[in-house]
Amino acid sequence: MKENQQPGKSKQSKVLPISMDAGFFFERAVSSLDRYHYDKALKYFRKAVEYEPDNPVNHCNMAGILSEMGNYEASNAALSVILEKIDPTMTECYFYMANNYANMDMFEEAEKALITYLEEDPSGQFLIEAEEMMELLQYELERPTKVTKIKSLAGVLEHDRARELLEQGRFTEAVKLLESIVEGQPDFWAARNNLALGYYYMGQCSKAIDTIYGVLEQEPGNLHALCNLAILYQHEGKTEFLQELSARLRKIIPFHQDHLFKLATTMGVLGAHDMAYRHFRRLLKDEALRTDPALYHYTAVAACNIERFAEAENLWRHVGRLDPGNEVSEYYLNRIEEMAAGTRPVPVHYHYHLPFEEQVKQWELPGEGIPTNIADNPLVRSSFFWALRYGDDGTKLQVIQAFGLIGDHEVEEALKAFLLEPEEDLYLKDLALYVLRSLGVDYELPVCTGEATLMIDPSQTWAKLPVWKSEWQAVLDLAYEQMRSNTDIQQQHDMESLWVQYLNLSYPDIPAISHIEGWAAALDYLTAKVNHRSVSYEKVAERYGISSSTVRKYSLRINEVCDAKDTVKMIFPYVQ
């Protein structure tokens, strides 16, 4: 006989136990929200808080439903619990509180909460919404919102400023700013890439390469870093590395506009004009860029270099229509036939301005000279700094003179760095010292003469003379006054150099300088001669109110001591 069995023991139970945890109530709350049952949703969110009181998300959800129900005060109380007791790093709570205060028309409190959000939140999740709320608060409070910093944009605004400085040729300022950004944000790759460019523009190539390597160690595919590295390899003559990297770059087809432009300009610099042309052509298909004359110019230069001269001509004509006041398109259109015939070289750079050599030629035309507003053109200004490092001596001479007109802190730093270059011509360094003196530099600077480094004070042009007499200075002052309107910085420098040289070589038997006008006129005349300017004793004498024989007399006396025909290469005595 079988034993009796208890009911339910013969089968496995099919009833599943309910897990009453915070997740369960959260799901119920969300389900209620979907059906717009806000009371039930609030009840379930509160149960979730009871089960997990230390979970800030549960409190935040409860605050959110309270706000939806119009109970803004209770919502802010829940948000305050999060910030004060559970997780102060949930800075988005300040944004939610600002919304609640605004809905209660408590605009002062809303502003305080919004400012706290912007200054403390690192992610910027609600940055766009915060900007919109800021506009509302400005309208309601009838004053601007006093935001001193936006944490989520830390370094971004400074980086934009640094990029502007680079474009303006203010490399020293840009590098200092970028260094501070990178120090605070080591993974800000764009800032690091631009820092590398800044080092490169300042001639610190090894430092630039090390900076790029640092980026590529963390992001091997960073296109900006790869492009910058290729240009540096080319500059340093690292042919083997460049060939490998250039082949890699030729295979890349960027999607983003800024990447495409970066690669296009890089391929142009590397001489891969076929690839540059393809990439520039792709950019021209972008509606937003079709009014940019510079982009059409870049494409025309690339077309020229791959012998698409008819196309280049059409592109430059379009540049002229887009930017009728610019000389660039006219300059190249006037030379396109010669380039096509092979009697004139095609352009080797892509900058949207006249070649630097052409600018120099225009300055040398009668009545032209270096324009006084050159500092206002970032492209021209940037080309000056480039030419000072990589141009020939004649170009560098023009740049140094132009720097005398710009005369800002960046110019001072560039000239100081130039003085330390061992291979640079001593005459150019002496002219740089003269310009620095004209800019008010009156302290000792290190100057590399090739064999040694000397400390020189630009303001002490008569360093080897034990005294400097007032009548000697009076000669200089008068010559300056007469020459300033019709001579450039170089000629004024040469005049002063000639006078100091004469005094040094004559010392201690320097004759009495009583006829100030005669000596000044002689310096004026000789300076014009060594700089190949048309001049006569009579013309100079007329300006100084003396006879031509007096000008001739004192000119001969100076020439007996200094061979004036060589003073075009005269340098201050203490740099010899």
Side-chain angles (χ1 to χ4, degrees), residues 91-303:
T91 48
E92 63 266 34
C93 292
Y94 290 110
F95 176 73
Y96 302 141
M97 292 174 77
N99 268 296
N100 287 333
Y101 282 129
N103 284 316
M104 290 188 286
D105 292 340
M106 300 172 67
F107 300 116
E108 294 280 357
E109 289 75 6
E111 181 186 50
K112 291 177 184 177
L114 185 64
I115 289 174
T116 304
Y117 167 73
L118 291 171
E119 293 183 345
E120 300 296 333
D121 184 74
S123 67
Q125 179 182 358
F126 300 108
L127 186 58
I128 295 175
E129 294 85 348
E131 291 175 351
E132 293 174 354
M133 189 186 300
M134 197 179 301
E135 291 180 7
L136 168 67
L137 294 176
Q138 288 176 356
Y139 175 78
E140 294 291 348
L141 296 171
E142 297 182 348
R143 59 171 172 76
T145 304
K146 301 174 182 177
V147 180
T148 56
K149 65 176 182 177
I150 300 177
K151 188 171 185 177
S152 61
L153 296 180
V156 174
L157 299 178
E158 293 87 345
H159 180 243
D160 288 343
R161 174 58 181 157
R163 289 177 61 183
E164 290 177 4
L165 291 170
L166 285 175
E167 291 169 359
Q168 294 169 4
R170 301 177 183 273
F171 305 124
T172 304
E173 293 177 55
V175 163
K176 288 179 181 178
L177 182 53
L178 289 165
E179 285 175 339
S180 67
I181 295 171
V182 168
E183 183 178 357
Q185 296 175 271
D187 57 349
F188 196 156
W189 308 126
R192 284 197 171 211
N193 281 327
N194 281 318
L195 177 59
L197 283 179
Y199 287 142
Y200 170 53
Y201 293 148
M202 293 172 66
Q204 301 176 20
C205 290
S206 59
K207 210 169 182 179
I209 290 176
D210 289 342
T211 302
I212 295 173
Y213 283 162
V215 174
L216 293 174
E217 284 176 7
Q218 302 298 320
E219 280 199 342
N222 189 295
L223 183 61
H224 281 267
L226 292 170
C227 288
N228 292 343
L229 186 60
I231 292 171
L232 284 164
Y233 279 161
Q234 183 187 60
H235 178 75
E236 293 286 280
K238 297 184 177 182
T239 308
E240 182 179 348
F241 295 110
L242 177 59
Q243 287 178 346
E244 180 181 348
L245 182 52
S246 182
R248 179 180 174 185
L249 290 174
R250 291 183 73 95
K251 297 176 183 178
I252 296 174
I253 307 295
F255 175 76
H256 294 293
Q257 184 189 99
D258 63 325
H259 287 169
L260 186 57
F261 183 78
K262 179 69 175 182
L263 186 58
T265 53
T266 300
M267 299 311 284
V269 172
L270 297 179
H273 302 292
D274 57 331
M275 295 302 298
Y277 172 79
R278 286 175 56 188
H279 295 320
F280 283 131
R281 266 295 177 193
R282 280 186 61 202
L283 285 168
L284 285 178
K285 294 179 181 178
D286 191 323
E287 290 286 345
L289 298 175
R290 287 189 176 178
T291 57
D292 183 0
L295 181 56
Y296 283 90
H297 168 72
Y298 304 147
T299 313
V301 173

Side-chain angles (χ1 to χ4, degrees), residues 333-353:
L333 285 170
N334 289 337
R335 292 157 178 79
I336 190 75
E337 290 186 5
E338 295 176 57
M339 288 188 279
T343 57
R344 176 180 290 273
V346 296
V348 294
H349 69 78
Y350 283 71
H351 304 303
Y352 184 48
H353 56 70

Side-chain angles (χ1 to χ4, degrees), residues 317-538:
R317 290 192 187 283
H318 194 62
V319 171
R321 290 191 290 270
L322 290 173
D323 190 7
N326 196 292
E327 300 175 282
V328 174
S329 59
E330 183 181 356
Y331 172 82
Y332 286 109
L333 285 170
N334 289 337
R335 292 157 178 79
I336 190 75
E337 290 186 5
E338 295 176 57
M339 288 188 279
T343 57
R344 176 180 290 273
V346 296
V348 294
H349 69 78
Y350 283 71
H351 304 303
Y352 184 48
H353 56 70
L354 291 176
F356 188 83
E357 296 76 11
E358 187 64 25
Q359 296 177 51
V360 171
K361 288 178 183 177
Q362 292 189 4
W363 300 342
E364 292 173 344
L365 293 174
E368 291 294 328
I370 301 175
T372 56
N373 63 343
I374 50 177
D376 298 332
N377 188 323
L379 289 174
V380 174
R381 181 187 174 97
S382 180
S383 72
F384 284 168
F385 286 90
W386 185 267
L388 184 63
R389 290 185 304 279
Y390 305 115
D392 56 27
D393 283 355
T395 301
K396 290 176 182 178
L397 179 67
Q398 291 287 345
V399 170
I400 293 170
Q401 291 189 76
F403 278 176
L405 295 175
I406 297 175
D408 57 21
H409 174 71
E410 191 74 26
V411 161
E412 288 188 21
E413 294 300 318
L415 291 176
K416 289 175 187 176
F418 181 78
L419 295 175
L420 293 172
E421 293 295 329
E423 303 300 323
E424 296 295 353
D425 183 80
L426 285 181
Y427 175 76
L428 294 178
K429 289 183 178 180
D430 209 57
L431 184 59
L433 282 167
Y434 180 84
V435 170
L436 285 166
R437 189 185 103 191
S438 71
L439 299 179
V441 176
D442 58 357
Y443 49 86
E444 288 190 338
L445 298 170
V447 180
C448 180
T449 64
E451 298 177 355
T453 299
L454 307 176
M455 296 303 296
I456 297 175
D457 182 349
S459 66
Q460 299 299 314
T461 60
W462 46 87
K464 286 191 174 181
L465 292 167
V467 294
W468 183 255
K469 295 184 178 181
S470 59
E471 58 266 31
W472 301 345
Q473 185 63 44
V475 171
L476 277 182
D477 292 341
L478 180 57
Y480 277 136
E481 182 182 344
Q482 292 295 329
M483 294 175 63
R484 189 173 291 117
S485 62
N486 64 341
T487 59
D488 56 25
I489 289 176
Q490 179 196 357
Q491 294 174 55
Q492 294 164 25
H493 158 268
D494 289 348
M495 181 274 291
E496 181 175 292
S497 296
L498 176 59
W499 184 232
V500 173
Q501 188 82 344
Y502 170 76
L503 296 173
N504 269 290
L505 294 176
S506 300
Y507 187 84
D509 300 320
I510 299 174
I513 309 296
S514 57
H515 200 312
I516 304 299
E517 292 80 6
W519 290 103
L523 291 174
D524 192 335
Y525 173 82
L526 292 172
T527 302
K529 279 294 185 184
V530 298
N531 282 280
H532 310 294
R533 284 170 48 222
S534 177
V535 68
S536 66
Y537 292 127
E538 289 75 15

Side-chain angles (χ1 to χ4, degrees), residues 26-98:
F26 172 79
E27 290 175 4
R28 289 293 181 94
V30 172
S31 179
S32 298
L33 279 175
D34 289 341
R35 294 191 293 271
Y36 302 103
H37 295 162
Y38 293 116
D39 290 337
K40 283 187 177 182
L42 177 59
K43 181 180 69 173
Y44 289 130
F45 277 136
R46 279 178 169 156
K47 292 296 290 184
V49 168
E50 289 178 14
Y51 274 86
E52 289 184 355
D54 294 330
N55 187 336
V57 176
N58 294 331
H59 290 266
C60 202
N61 289 330
M62 187 173 68
I65 193 62
L66 285 167
S67 182
E68 286 290 331
M69 296 173 69
N71 196 345
Y72 304 117
E73 191 172 350
S75 176
N76 275 356
L79 295 167
S80 295
V81 170
I82 298 173
L83 293 168
E84 295 172 8
K85 298 181 179 180
I86 302 175
D87 188 359
T89 66
M90 281 192 68
T91 48
E92 63 266 34
C93 292
Y94 290 110
F95 176 73
Y96 302 141
M97 292 174 77

